[in-house]
Amino acid sequence: MTLSDSDPHTIDPARSTALSVTLDDGDLHVYLDGPSDAPALLLIHGSASSARSWDPMVPLLTGSHRVIRIDLLGHGRSAKPDDLGYTTPDQARRVGEALDRLGVRQAVVAGHSSGGAVATALAELRPGLVTALVLVNTGPALVGNIAPQSAAIAPDRWPPDDEQIRGFASSGFSRPGYEVPQELLDEVRLMTFHTLTATMMGTTEYLKQRPIPDRLATLGKPLLVIFGEDDRRWRSSSAADYRKVAGAAVELLPGLGHSPILEDPPRTAALLLAFTARQG
């Protein structure tokens, strides 16, 4: 299914739907789950990932939400042009345009890792669209980054094999015995080396310009921060930086790492659902 300017701006599927939303920058792949008349919950994935990273969470959220997942440009099943910008504000603008095409006027927005930076940029660009924010292991500022540089994949080894991707992704998980699902490895291989590096550079530049808590402090949006206490990419102690945002709730999850949405979906979903329930 494709949705563009010439298509109706609302869709009403009775079941999970995958579709392509046509923008000037290229098509964005979208997944829709849950009742069409329920409050919208947008889930944004991180770098070197895709909307599929939220798969384990979706069944836990659709009882009370219309769950929307978008493959950011350059990721997953979305277009991967090499002549467009992959800055965080650019990605946020595209997400907002996709929601316009879908007829979504307001949504709670949750972002994992760098997806939280895109969620923040979306709230900056479209404050009327974003009613509340949930950031899952989103580093607040570059000073808190502890990701090992040696795990990067060289351009001459692209596309990577499973072993290389697992090495690249290893710092993203801390729960003992957790194994990255094959479908997520396959999603990484759909990227190009350019889209991978350009997106990461875009996130770095966004954080250089201004820390995320400083950005959020001026927006006045309800905020939930979830952080795996054993994160090996960002110091979990840096989650306290978000407390400068008035009314922010910060939850640390012992025994989990950078990806609570995959390592322990029920525990993560329970916090998210309790938060959205408080938003009415």
Side-chain angles (χ1 to χ4, degrees), residues 73-156:
L73 197 74
H75 298 71
R77 266 58 176 171
S78 289
K80 301 170 182 64
D82 59 8
D83 58 347
L84 294 177
Y86 288 89
T87 70
T88 296
D90 278 339
Q91 295 286 36
R93 170 184 54 79
R94 295 171 186 126
V95 169
E97 291 174 358
L99 293 182
D100 291 341
R101 298 281 199 274
L102 296 169
V104 177
R105 297 184 178 181
Q106 288 189 319
V108 173
V109 181
H112 171 235
S113 190
S114 62
V118 176
T120 300
L122 180 61
E124 291 177 310
L125 293 170
R126 302 284 300 276
L129 178 62
V130 179
T131 60
L133 288 160
V134 180
L135 306 185
V136 183
N137 283 75
T138 297
L142 289 177
V143 68
N145 184 261
I146 55 174
Q149 298 301 312
S150 59
I153 300 174
D156 60 354

Side-chain angles (χ1 to χ4, degrees), residues 25-258:
D25 290 350
D27 291 353
L28 295 186
H29 192 75
V30 178
Y31 297 94
L32 302 171
D33 295 270
S36 60
D37 58 351
L41 173 61
L42 172 66
L43 307 178
I44 303 178
H45 64 81
S47 302
S49 188
S50 75
R52 296 294 307 274
S53 65
W54 291 95
D55 279 3
M57 292 277 290
V58 171
L60 305 173
L61 303 173
T62 51
S64 54
H65 293 87
R66 179 59 157 170
V67 178
I68 305 166
R69 293 173 291 155
I70 297 176
D71 284 337
L72 298 175
L73 197 74
H75 298 71
R77 266 58 176 171
S78 289
K80 301 170 182 64
D82 59 8
D83 58 347
L84 294 177
Y86 288 89
T87 70
T88 296
D90 278 339
Q91 295 286 36
R93 170 184 54 79
R94 295 171 186 126
V95 169
E97 291 174 358
L99 293 182
D100 291 341
R101 298 281 199 274
L102 296 169
V104 177
R105 297 184 178 181
Q106 288 189 319
V108 173
V109 181
H112 171 235
S113 190
S114 62
V118 176
T120 300
L122 180 61
E124 291 177 310
L125 293 170
R126 302 284 300 276
L129 178 62
V130 179
T131 60
L133 288 160
V134 180
L135 306 185
V136 183
N137 283 75
T138 297
L142 289 177
V143 68
N145 184 261
I146 55 174
Q149 298 301 312
S150 59
I153 300 174
D156 60 354
R157 302 183 72 184
W158 198 272
D161 58 30
D162 284 3
E163 182 179 355
Q164 291 167 333
I165 299 175
R166 290 188 191 280
F168 174 74
S170 61
S171 61
F173 308 93
S174 297
R175 194 191 77 192
Y178 181 81
E179 186 171 340
V180 183
Q182 183 64 45
E183 56 267 25
L184 295 186
L185 302 180
D186 295 339
E187 293 283 288
V188 173
R189 255 190 301 275
L190 291 176
M191 300 184 71
T192 68
F193 186 78
H194 172 74
T195 59
L196 172 68
T197 56
T199 300
M200 290 182 169
M201 290 174 59
T203 302
T204 298
E205 185 59 31
Y206 186 73
L207 292 174
K208 279 183 179 178
Q209 291 171 0
R210 193 180 183 196
I212 290 179
D214 292 351
R215 296 173 181 273
L216 295 174
T218 63
L219 291 178
K221 300 293 181 183
L223 172 66
L224 169 65
V225 175
I226 300 173
F227 231 91
E229 201 168 54
D230 299 330
D231 194 325
R232 292 192 285 155
R233 293 186 175 177
W234 297 91
R235 292 186 181 88
S236 59
S237 59
S238 69
D241 294 354
Y242 287 104
R243 296 192 186 278
K244 69 169 54 179
V245 181
V250 179
E251 300 282 353
L252 294 180
L253 300 181
L256 301 183
H258 184 67

